[in-house]
Amino acid sequence: MTVRVGVIGAGMIGQDHIRRITQVLSGGTVVAVTDVDAARAQSVADGWPGAAVYPAGRELVASGDVDAVLVTSWGPTHEDHVLAAIEAGLPVFCEKPLATTEDACLRIMDAEMAGGRRLVQVGFMRRYDAGYRALKAALDEATIGTPLLMHCAHRNRSAPPYGFTTEGMIADSAVHEIDLVQWLFGEPVAATSILKPRRSSRAAEGLHDPLIVLLEMASGVLVDVEVFVNAGYGYDIRGEIVGESGTVAHAEAAGEVTVKAGGARRGRVPGDWRDRFAAAFDAELQDWLNAVAAGTSTGPGSWDGYAAAAVTGSCLEALRSGQRTPVTLAERPEFYAKAL
Amino acid sequence: MTVRVGVIGAGMIGQDHIRRITQVLSGGTVVAVTDVDAARAQSVADGWPGAAVYPAGRELVASGDVDAVLVTSWGPTHEDHVLAAIEAGLPVFCEKPLATTEDACLRIMDAEMAGGRRLVQVGFMRRYDAGYRALKAALDEATIGTPLLMHCAHRNRSAPPYGFTTEGMIADSAVHEIDLVQWLFGEPVAATSILKPRRSSRAAEGLHDPLIVLLEMASGVLVDVEVFVNAGYGYDIRGEIVGESGTVAHAEAAGEVTVKAGGARRGRVPGDWRDRFAAAFDAELQDWLNAVAAGTSTGPGSWDGYAAAAVTGSCLEALRSGQRTPVTLAERPEFYAKAL
Amino acid sequence: MTVRVGVIGAGMIGQDHIRRITQVLSGGTVVAVTDVDAARAQSVADGWPGAAVYPAGRELVASGDVDAVLVTSWGPTHEDHVLAAIEAGLPVFCEKPLATTEDACLRIMDAEMAGGRRLVQVGFMRRYDAGYRALKAALDEATIGTPLLMHCAHRNRSAPPYGFTTEGMIADSAVHEIDLVQWLFGEPVAATSILKPRRSSRAAEGLHDPLIVLLEMASGVLVDVEVFVNAGYGYDIRGEIVGESGTVAHAEAAGEVTVKAGGARRGRVPGDWRDRFAAAFDAELQDWLNAVAAGTSTGPGSWDGYAAAAVTGSCLEALRSGQRTPVTLAERPEFYAKAL
Amino acid sequence: MTVRVGVIGAGMIGQDHIRRITQVLSGGTVVAVTDVDAARAQSVADGWPGAAVYPAGRELVASGDVDAVLVTSWGPTHEDHVLAAIEAGLPVFCEKPLATTEDACLRIMDAEMAGGRRLVQVGFMRRYDAGYRALKAALDEATIGTPLLMHCAHRNRSAPPYGFTTEGMIADSAVHEIDLVQWLFGEPVAATSILKPRRSSRAAEGLHDPLIVLLEMASGVLVDVEVFVNAGYGYDIRGEIVGESGTVAHAEAAGEVTVKAGGARRGRVPGDWRDRFAAAFDAELQDWLNAVAAGTSTGPGSWDGYAAAAVTGSCLEALRSGQRTPVTLAERPEFYAKAL
């Protein structure tokens, strides 16, 4: 079976997923595109023979021509598109965030539960990275004993040129670690705090870069995440888990080859997230296509999108107040009980 | 366009390529299978809906139902299958070796030239490995100055359980490095020698493991290749090029994560060639499918298959005689002039 | 000139320094020993021909036979011995802490200033470690731009078998980092906080292991120090400074050789502080002997001992209160103005 | 006991050893100096109070004022000075080579045996390097099984500015590896060959740089040594031993710290042999002083100097002839039987 995918949102990430489905992955084809900018939708569709253009997400979902929906539109529109797909009984892959408020996430969960079938996957692609999978395997195999601590760093070469905010450092950047630690440790974040180190003079006005985000897991495992979006030297993602009898960490990324020249031994640091996580993006979407074809659901779902939103909300409150802030989480429905 | 592929030879590597085309890559479909063992062909075809079984390669090629041919049969049959594809004007991907004698390779080149179009790609998949590509980029960008030397190691955990010979260590294992150095340095190997270190007691009777294969490039660049097929600890592929002003080497493969436990800091060594070169195999075959769809040819071709056969022949003679042995190479036809 | 050293305190560290002066370093000789346990003093002196035994520190200092004093006795006695040496006009090397209270440190400073000459060196030996020196050189050469953050880890294989307290994790372990960051960044610590991650079940009752110590430098540079005294796997000291344009970190210590065996690539993690810092201890004491012979003073002095005590006090208060705690520091006298 | 050392040869290496004994090590003092250039001897002695100047080595040895002799003069004079020391019954440390001919080495052995006591240590300082000691420990502990192969590289940033010859690449550079492999594997080199890779255009006229030196151990272990004295990028010493079940190699030297900046992760390569082997030189001479004081002998001795000379001679013949050349070695006298 070739999965016929409809894409809602034809911006950079949408186009990248279309390319991926069309040129890289197996078992999918893009048959429908829509975008708030109709001209952009048309232009993108012109590049991929076989993709019809629809005036809006609702029409695309209702067309009867798509087997599954990919939502890559602007965050505040996610709720509507995901709900539309759920109502139509179509599997839907939604780029993070699932929705921009906790309430919206809860409404999506309610709709999905009402339908009685898991339909939603959220784009937390790092769960498909071989490095994070190996961290999780080490935890699951007790290689380092009971986990106590985790140190993370999330460094971008430079922040987007304008409009990027301190809040965005949490909601757009740290949200990856927020999801990952709940997946790695198999438990929710219970409280958060934000620390403000000396501010980089390279950050745009009003941006407090870098930050330290502290995440306290329910068991007491303490996670510190350095978020530094103007790190200057490259894209550097680090994680080290400290357990009772040892540690496990991402191997240092230094490229494919090592050069010795001019008194130095050197390797390459990734330039950006595409460079670092290309294989994870491919694996994520291939997994989704396979699951759709098989009529199952395997990746991070609505509950994970909701939990990430709740912790993100706690962090934003901690940023505002300067105080340690508990996370308030709804009870996890039985429907979402199976750990993914 | 979806490329309809016919597969000649349904053994382990053939099945792996069918899986790759069907489940991993984009733009291809397997429509025909044949094997010297008809039952095996049927069994494999049963696993992949849509693949018809043919009694032999000639029938498969002549069927009119395939756009391109993949030859993964026993080495001595390669010549016949490749010639059949050329005669039918079909692009053909042939696993190494292109053919088992230099004369057979020359006959393939003659047939291809007679047809006036490059149709053959040989399965030297390491050219698609990101590590070797980075080595070549470093050479091409003169990062290390004029190259003078290269040190290689080609280590398998253990040799195939029976029937693997000292000659096989050259023809099946070192042949990868034989092709690579001609591609990396853009020049032929001029002479070869074989050195015999102390023999491992773990090698099967009659197998002289490890060996050192010395390859002298036309420019004088000297390459030493340690071939050790019972290295015991894992699959370890190494290459370091020494230039006038620096060196470039594969980064040490130690897995995705680093564990500290019990007084040690450790990473994982790949277990086998699938583990080490999975991405290269995928890239190789995707590149071939793309080229077939585009009506072009981009990978290592008949000339490269012939040149590898000629150097392999020299090495086998050096092994027999214990002497340094020049490589005798036909003149390179204009048809194959463009470096690939 | 051979410096005649008198050693006050003949325990483990005192004996180690005697061995160092006698068998490893140049330009010093141990001529006098005393210890609160007279029998131990005699036993140690018997092992090193030429060392006379004195009943107490005051007698040793007053003997007229020593050129310099080495204080390696129990912490609470440091003040008395250091003051005695100062009064006698003798250079004195005092193992950390300089004294166990801030007031005692201030009294030592007063006495030293009254004498008009820098006589005191405190045993912050990590300043002599090649790794920390290279970190400081990178800062001083602006290799990474303005510093913003520092991540440290201070991990011991296991805590001393009994009597080690959570307070000791700060006063005995983190005190090294407390001194180092003031030396590295050339500025005082302004405030401290303590975070409590999940407690290791391997820690003795009442010991909250591990801890995170947060040190806020006057400029805003934020330092986090993981102190983990039952890390289990080895002795691991880490430091990474994050600047506006790059980072600099201790190279990962993995021993002299790399072994590949059994599917893994591994190196050795240091076993204890002797293993990791042997060269720094040697360099520290050689530097002191040279300075004594030259009539100068070059290492960390009374002010550094006092500043470390003040920050340690703040950390202990933060541990008690659970609150961020400012550091109260006396004004730095002109006498101690020269950065060391 | 303080060992009174007389130094014959006050050039660069002699001055460096004087500094080491006087300022770094314990238990020795330089009391006598001589040099073929009397003015230089005087100038050096002026810098180290207490060192008397002698007109020649014989006078220094006969003075009765020295307990041990350090020979750091021009190679061709070593034999005379070492024989003089032996005749006087004085321990003597001789920088490599022990003597410039095999016959001279045999004469030294005869004289030493006639005296009935081991008096000679040869300056093969790499045996004192922690890295080589760890390689040897791994062999002795069978970490990698029976050894089969060893790959070495010996790279200098640049050759001495004039007068350095291709023969010198063997006699002055590769001689270190020649000694080491006999020590590591506990067996003699049985035959040698020289391979000539492409010549670096940066080498002085007449210098064939780099070379590959092949050393066949008696057991069949094959060692390849890349000698490259104009490697350009730094001083890089490598060694990897391949055994039946694993490998052990020097950890890659990349300095004390790792810097990430400008898209790269980099460490420092040592600049020269002082940078790389400072601790080994210190350990070597301290060990000698300790042995002299104790009336024993522990380091590489006359037999090792002779064996290195014999293998060097074989290599030079292989260089001349272009042929594999067996090593002819005298029978090892019982007197030198104890492995060191």
Side-chain angles (χ1 to χ4, degrees), chain D residues 29-47:
Chain D
T29 181
V30 175
V31 298
V33 178
T34 187
D35 194 272
V36 65
D37 175 348
R40 180 162 71 173
Q42 188 61 55
S43 156
V44 167
D46 290 348

mmCIF file with all atom_site columns, all heavy atoms in Angstrom, chain D residues 29-47:
data_model
loop_
_atom_site.group_PDB
_atom_site.id
_atom_site.type_symbol
_atom_site.label_atom_id
_atom_site.label_alt_id
_atom_site.label_comp_id
_atom_site.label_asym_id
_atom_site.label_entity_id
_atom_site.label_seq_id
_atom_site.pdbx_PDB_ins_code
_atom_site.Cartn_x
_atom_site.Cartn_y
_atom_site.Cartn_z
_atom_site.occupancy
_atom_site.B_iso_or_equiv
_atom_site.pdbx_formal_charge
_atom_site.auth_seq_id
_atom_site.auth_comp_id
_atom_site.auth_asym_id
_atom_site.auth_atom_id
_atom_site.pdbx_PDB_model_num
ATOM 1   N N   . THR D 1 29 ? 73.527 15.670 41.680 1.00 0.00 ? 29 THR D N   1
ATOM 2   C CA  . THR D 1 29 ? 74.096 16.999 41.532 1.00 0.00 ? 29 THR D CA  1
ATOM 3   C C   . THR D 1 29 ? 75.191 16.909 40.475 1.00 0.00 ? 29 THR D C   1
ATOM 4   O O   . THR D 1 29 ? 75.891 15.896 40.390 1.00 0.00 ? 29 THR D O   1
ATOM 5   C CB  . THR D 1 29 ? 74.644 17.530 42.871 1.00 0.00 ? 29 THR D CB  1
ATOM 6   O OG1 . THR D 1 29 ? 75.173 18.831 42.675 1.00 0.00 ? 29 THR D OG1 1
ATOM 7   C CG2 . THR D 1 29 ? 75.733 16.629 43.428 1.00 0.00 ? 29 THR D CG2 1
ATOM 8   N N   . VAL D 1 30 ? 75.280 17.923 39.655 1.00 0.00 ? 30 VAL D N   1
ATOM 9   C CA  . VAL D 1 30 ? 76.297 17.916 38.595 1.00 0.00 ? 30 VAL D CA  1
ATOM 10  C C   . VAL D 1 30 ? 77.554 18.589 39.127 1.00 0.00 ? 30 VAL D C   1
ATOM 11  O O   . VAL D 1 30 ? 77.535 19.773 39.479 1.00 0.00 ? 30 VAL D O   1
ATOM 12  C CB  . VAL D 1 30 ? 75.778 18.634 37.333 1.00 0.00 ? 30 VAL D CB  1
ATOM 13  C CG1 . VAL D 1 30 ? 76.876 18.724 36.286 1.00 0.00 ? 30 VAL D CG1 1
ATOM 14  C CG2 . VAL D 1 30 ? 74.561 17.904 36.798 1.00 0.00 ? 30 VAL D CG2 1
ATOM 15  N N   . VAL D 1 31 ? 78.645 17.818 39.198 1.00 0.00 ? 31 VAL D N   1
ATOM 16  C CA  . VAL D 1 31 ? 79.877 18.342 39.801 1.00 0.00 ? 31 VAL D CA  1
ATOM 17  C C   . VAL D 1 31 ? 80.990 18.535 38.782 1.00 0.00 ? 31 VAL D C   1
ATOM 18  O O   . VAL D 1 31 ? 82.022 19.134 39.103 1.00 0.00 ? 31 VAL D O   1
ATOM 19  C CB  . VAL D 1 31 ? 80.394 17.393 40.918 1.00 0.00 ? 31 VAL D CB  1
ATOM 20  C CG1 . VAL D 1 31 ? 79.367 17.297 42.044 1.00 0.00 ? 31 VAL D CG1 1
ATOM 21  C CG2 . VAL D 1 31 ? 80.709 16.016 40.367 1.00 0.00 ? 31 VAL D CG2 1
ATOM 22  N N   . ALA D 1 32 ? 80.798 18.044 37.562 1.00 0.00 ? 32 ALA D N   1
ATOM 23  C CA  . ALA D 1 32 ? 81.886 18.119 36.585 1.00 0.00 ? 32 ALA D CA  1
ATOM 24  C C   . ALA D 1 32 ? 81.310 18.158 35.184 1.00 0.00 ? 32 ALA D C   1
ATOM 25  O O   . ALA D 1 32 ? 80.319 17.478 34.888 1.00 0.00 ? 32 ALA D O   1
ATOM 26  C CB  . ALA D 1 32 ? 82.799 16.896 36.729 1.00 0.00 ? 32 ALA D CB  1
ATOM 27  N N   . VAL D 1 33 ? 81.956 18.957 34.337 1.00 0.00 ? 33 VAL D N   1
ATOM 28  C CA  . VAL D 1 33 ? 81.514 19.096 32.947 1.00 0.00 ? 33 VAL D CA  1
ATOM 29  C C   . VAL D 1 33 ? 82.749 19.129 32.050 1.00 0.00 ? 33 VAL D C   1
ATOM 30  O O   . VAL D 1 33 ? 83.775 19.710 32.418 1.00 0.00 ? 33 VAL D O   1
ATOM 31  C CB  . VAL D 1 33 ? 80.725 20.407 32.746 1.00 0.00 ? 33 VAL D CB  1
ATOM 32  C CG1 . VAL D 1 33 ? 80.314 20.580 31.295 1.00 0.00 ? 33 VAL D CG1 1
ATOM 33  C CG2 . VAL D 1 33 ? 79.499 20.437 33.643 1.00 0.00 ? 33 VAL D CG2 1
ATOM 34  N N   . THR D 1 34 ? 82.618 18.522 30.888 1.00 0.00 ? 34 THR D N   1
ATOM 35  C CA  . THR D 1 34 ? 83.666 18.692 29.878 1.00 0.00 ? 34 THR D CA  1
ATOM 36  C C   . THR D 1 34 ? 82.995 18.713 28.518 1.00 0.00 ? 34 THR D C   1
ATOM 37  O O   . THR D 1 34 ? 81.856 18.253 28.357 1.00 0.00 ? 34 THR D O   1
ATOM 38  C CB  . THR D 1 34 ? 84.718 17.565 29.943 1.00 0.00 ? 34 THR D CB  1
ATOM 39  O OG1 . THR D 1 34 ? 85.771 17.904 29.028 1.00 0.00 ? 34 THR D OG1 1
ATOM 40  C CG2 . THR D 1 34 ? 84.134 16.215 29.549 1.00 0.00 ? 34 THR D CG2 1
ATOM 41  N N   . ASP D 1 35 ? 83.702 19.292 27.547 1.00 0.00 ? 35 ASP D N   1
ATOM 42  C CA  . ASP D 1 35 ? 83.176 19.351 26.189 1.00 0.00 ? 35 ASP D CA  1
ATOM 43  C C   . ASP D 1 35 ? 84.349 19.516 25.240 1.00 0.00 ? 35 ASP D C   1
ATOM 44  O O   . ASP D 1 35 ? 85.397 20.069 25.620 1.00 0.00 ? 35 ASP D O   1
ATOM 45  C CB  . ASP D 1 35 ? 82.194 20.529 26.039 1.00 0.00 ? 35 ASP D CB  1
ATOM 46  C CG  . ASP D 1 35 ? 81.382 20.435 24.760 1.00 0.00 ? 35 ASP D CG  1
ATOM 47  O OD1 . ASP D 1 35 ? 81.864 20.939 23.718 1.00 0.00 ? 35 ASP D OD1 1
ATOM 48  O OD2 . ASP D 1 35 ? 80.289 19.839 24.785 1.00 0.00 ? 35 ASP D OD2 1
ATOM 49  N N   . VAL D 1 36 ? 84.175 19.060 24.030 1.00 0.00 ? 36 VAL D N   1
ATOM 50  C CA  . VAL D 1 36 ? 85.243 19.217 23.033 1.00 0.00 ? 36 VAL D CA  1
ATOM 51  C C   . VAL D 1 36 ? 85.507 20.705 22.805 1.00 0.00 ? 36 VAL D C   1
ATOM 52  O O   . VAL D 1 36 ? 86.610 21.104 22.448 1.00 0.00 ? 36 VAL D O   1
ATOM 53  C CB  . VAL D 1 36 ? 84.853 18.477 21.729 1.00 0.00 ? 36 VAL D CB  1
ATOM 54  C CG1 . VAL D 1 36 ? 83.629 19.120 21.088 1.00 0.00 ? 36 VAL D CG1 1
ATOM 55  C CG2 . VAL D 1 36 ? 86.023 18.441 20.755 1.00 0.00 ? 36 VAL D CG2 1
ATOM 56  N N   . ASP D 1 37 ? 84.501 21.508 23.055 1.00 0.00 ? 37 ASP D N   1
ATOM 57  C CA  . ASP D 1 37 ? 84.641 22.967 22.969 1.00 0.00 ? 37 ASP D CA  1
ATOM 58  C C   . ASP D 1 37 ? 84.794 23.489 24.401 1.00 0.00 ? 37 ASP D C   1
ATOM 59  O O   . ASP D 1 37 ? 83.815 23.619 25.147 1.00 0.00 ? 37 ASP D O   1
ATOM 60  C CB  . ASP D 1 37 ? 83.387 23.535 22.295 1.00 0.00 ? 37 ASP D CB  1
ATOM 61  C CG  . ASP D 1 37 ? 83.357 25.056 22.269 1.00 0.00 ? 37 ASP D CG  1
ATOM 62  O OD1 . ASP D 1 37 ? 84.181 25.699 22.965 1.00 0.00 ? 37 ASP D OD1 1
ATOM 63  O OD2 . ASP D 1 37 ? 82.478 25.598 21.573 1.00 0.00 ? 37 ASP D OD2 1
ATOM 64  N N   . ALA D 1 38 ? 86.033 23.778 24.784 1.00 0.00 ? 38 ALA D N   1
ATOM 65  C CA  . ALA D 1 38 ? 86.325 24.136 26.180 1.00 0.00 ? 38 ALA D CA  1
ATOM 66  C C   . ALA D 1 38 ? 85.550 25.375 26.619 1.00 0.00 ? 38 ALA D C   1
ATOM 67  O O   . ALA D 1 38 ? 85.092 25.475 27.766 1.00 0.00 ? 38 ALA D O   1
ATOM 68  C CB  . ALA D 1 38 ? 87.830 24.363 26.366 1.00 0.00 ? 38 ALA D CB  1
ATOM 69  N N   . ALA D 1 39 ? 85.373 26.308 25.703 1.00 0.00 ? 39 ALA D N   1
ATOM 70  C CA  . ALA D 1 39 ? 84.656 27.541 26.066 1.00 0.00 ? 39 ALA D CA  1
ATOM 71  C C   . ALA D 1 39 ? 83.197 27.231 26.392 1.00 0.00 ? 39 ALA D C   1
ATOM 72  O O   . ALA D 1 39 ? 82.627 27.789 27.335 1.00 0.00 ? 39 ALA D O   1
ATOM 73  C CB  . ALA D 1 39 ? 84.734 28.549 24.904 1.00 0.00 ? 39 ALA D CB  1
ATOM 74  N N   . ARG D 1 40 ? 82.621 26.336 25.613 1.00 0.00 ? 40 ARG D N   1
ATOM 75  C CA  . ARG D 1 40 ? 81.242 25.968 25.895 1.00 0.00 ? 40 ARG D CA  1
ATOM 76  C C   . ARG D 1 40 ? 81.139 25.271 27.258 1.00 0.00 ? 40 ARG D C   1
ATOM 77  O O   . ARG D 1 40 ? 80.225 25.538 28.030 1.00 0.00 ? 40 ARG D O   1
ATOM 78  C CB  . ARG D 1 40 ? 80.689 25.069 24.787 1.00 0.00 ? 40 ARG D CB  1
ATOM 79  C CG  . ARG D 1 40 ? 79.247 24.656 25.054 1.00 0.00 ? 40 ARG D CG  1
ATOM 80  C CD  . ARG D 1 40 ? 78.533 24.160 23.819 1.00 0.00 ? 40 ARG D CD  1
ATOM 81  N NE  . ARG D 1 40 ? 79.020 22.857 23.383 1.00 0.00 ? 40 ARG D NE  1
ATOM 82  C CZ  . ARG D 1 40 ? 78.469 22.132 22.399 1.00 0.00 ? 40 ARG D CZ  1
ATOM 83  N NH1 . ARG D 1 40 ? 77.441 22.621 21.719 1.00 0.00 ? 40 ARG D NH1 1
ATOM 84  N NH2 . ARG D 1 40 ? 78.963 20.964 22.058 1.00 0.00 ? 40 ARG D NH2 1
ATOM 85  N N   . ALA D 1 41 ? 82.077 24.383 27.525 1.00 0.00 ? 41 ALA D N   1
ATOM 86  C CA  . ALA D 1 41 ? 82.059 23.700 28.823 1.00 0.00 ? 41 ALA D CA  1
ATOM 87  C C   . ALA D 1 41 ? 82.118 24.737 29.948 1.00 0.00 ? 41 ALA D C   1
ATOM 88  O O   . ALA D 1 41 ? 81.377 24.656 30.932 1.00 0.00 ? 41 ALA D O   1
ATOM 89  C CB  . ALA D 1 41 ? 83.241 22.731 28.925 1.00 0.00 ? 41 ALA D CB  1
ATOM 90  N N   . GLN D 1 42 ? 82.987 25.723 29.807 1.00 0.00 ? 42 GLN D N   1
ATOM 91  C CA  . GLN D 1 42 ? 83.135 26.746 30.844 1.00 0.00 ? 42 GLN D CA  1
ATOM 92  C C   . GLN D 1 42 ? 81.837 27.536 31.004 1.00 0.00 ? 42 GLN D C   1
ATOM 93  O O   . GLN D 1 42 ? 81.383 27.797 32.118 1.00 0.00 ? 42 GLN D O   1
ATOM 94  C CB  . GLN D 1 42 ? 84.292 27.695 30.491 1.00 0.00 ? 42 GLN D CB  1
ATOM 95  C CG  . GLN D 1 42 ? 84.628 28.660 31.628 1.00 0.00 ? 42 GLN D CG  1
ATOM 96  C CD  . GLN D 1 42 ? 85.062 27.921 32.895 1.00 0.00 ? 42 GLN D CD  1
ATOM 97  O OE1 . GLN D 1 42 ? 85.998 27.116 32.855 1.00 0.00 ? 42 GLN D OE1 1
ATOM 98  N NE2 . GLN D 1 42 ? 84.378 28.138 34.022 1.00 0.00 ? 42 GLN D NE2 1
ATOM 99  N N   . SER D 1 43 ? 81.274 27.903 29.875 1.00 0.00 ? 43 SER D N   1
ATOM 100 C CA  . SER D 1 43 ? 80.047 28.706 29.901 1.00 0.00 ? 43 SER D CA  1
ATOM 101 C C   . SER D 1 43 ? 78.911 27.943 30.578 1.00 0.00 ? 43 SER D C   1
ATOM 102 O O   . SER D 1 43 ? 78.163 28.493 31.393 1.00 0.00 ? 43 SER D O   1
ATOM 103 C CB  . SER D 1 43 ? 79.684 29.088 28.463 1.00 0.00 ? 43 SER D CB  1
ATOM 104 O OG  . SER D 1 43 ? 78.324 29.354 28.360 1.00 0.00 ? 43 SER D OG  1
ATOM 105 N N   . VAL D 1 44 ? 78.798 26.670 30.268 1.00 0.00 ? 44 VAL D N   1
ATOM 106 C CA  . VAL D 1 44 ? 77.745 25.870 30.894 1.00 0.00 ? 44 VAL D CA  1
ATOM 107 C C   . VAL D 1 44 ? 78.021 25.730 32.392 1.00 0.00 ? 44 VAL D C   1
ATOM 108 O O   . VAL D 1 44 ? 77.111 25.898 33.227 1.00 0.00 ? 44 VAL D O   1
ATOM 109 C CB  . VAL D 1 44 ? 77.647 24.488 30.208 1.00 0.00 ? 44 VAL D CB  1
ATOM 110 C CG1 . VAL D 1 44 ? 76.798 23.530 31.036 1.00 0.00 ? 44 VAL D CG1 1
ATOM 111 C CG2 . VAL D 1 44 ? 77.087 24.647 28.798 1.00 0.00 ? 44 VAL D CG2 1
ATOM 112 N N   . ALA D 1 45 ? 79.271 25.443 32.750 1.00 0.00 ? 45 ALA D N   1
ATOM 113 C CA  . ALA D 1 45 ? 79.614 25.281 34.168 1.00 0.00 ? 45 ALA D CA  1
ATOM 114 C C   . ALA D 1 45 ? 79.324 26.566 34.938 1.00 0.00 ? 45 ALA D C   1
ATOM 115 O O   . ALA D 1 45 ? 78.878 26.536 36.098 1.00 0.00 ? 45 ALA D O   1
ATOM 116 C CB  . ALA D 1 45 ? 81.075 24.875 34.325 1.00 0.00 ? 45 ALA D CB  1
ATOM 117 N N   . ASP D 1 46 ? 79.558 27.695 34.305 1.00 0.00 ? 46 ASP D N   1
ATOM 118 C CA  . ASP D 1 46 ? 79.299 28.979 34.979 1.00 0.00 ? 46 ASP D CA  1
ATOM 119 C C   . ASP D 1 46 ? 77.829 29.105 35.378 1.00 0.00 ? 46 ASP D C   1
ATOM 120 O O   . ASP D 1 46 ? 77.495 29.774 36.363 1.00 0.00 ? 46 ASP D O   1
ATOM 121 C CB  . ASP D 1 46 ? 79.676 30.151 34.053 1.00 0.00 ? 46 ASP D CB  1
ATOM 122 C CG  . ASP D 1 46 ? 81.185 30.255 33.875 1.00 0.00 ? 46 ASP D CG  1
ATOM 123 O OD1 . ASP D 1 46 ? 81.915 29.575 34.641 1.00 0.00 ? 46 ASP D OD1 1
ATOM 124 O OD2 . ASP D 1 46 ? 81.629 30.992 32.989 1.00 0.00 ? 46 ASP D OD2 1
ATOM 125 N N   . GLY D 1 47 ? 76.975 28.484 34.599 1.00 0.00 ? 47 GLY D N   1
ATOM 126 C CA  . GLY D 1 47 ? 75.550 28.589 34.888 1.00 0.00 ? 47 GLY D CA  1
ATOM 127 C C   . GLY D 1 47 ? 75.103 27.703 36.036 1.00 0.00 ? 47 GLY D C   1
ATOM 128 O O   . GLY D 1 47 ? 74.000 27.870 36.555 1.00 0.00 ? 47 GLY D O   1
#
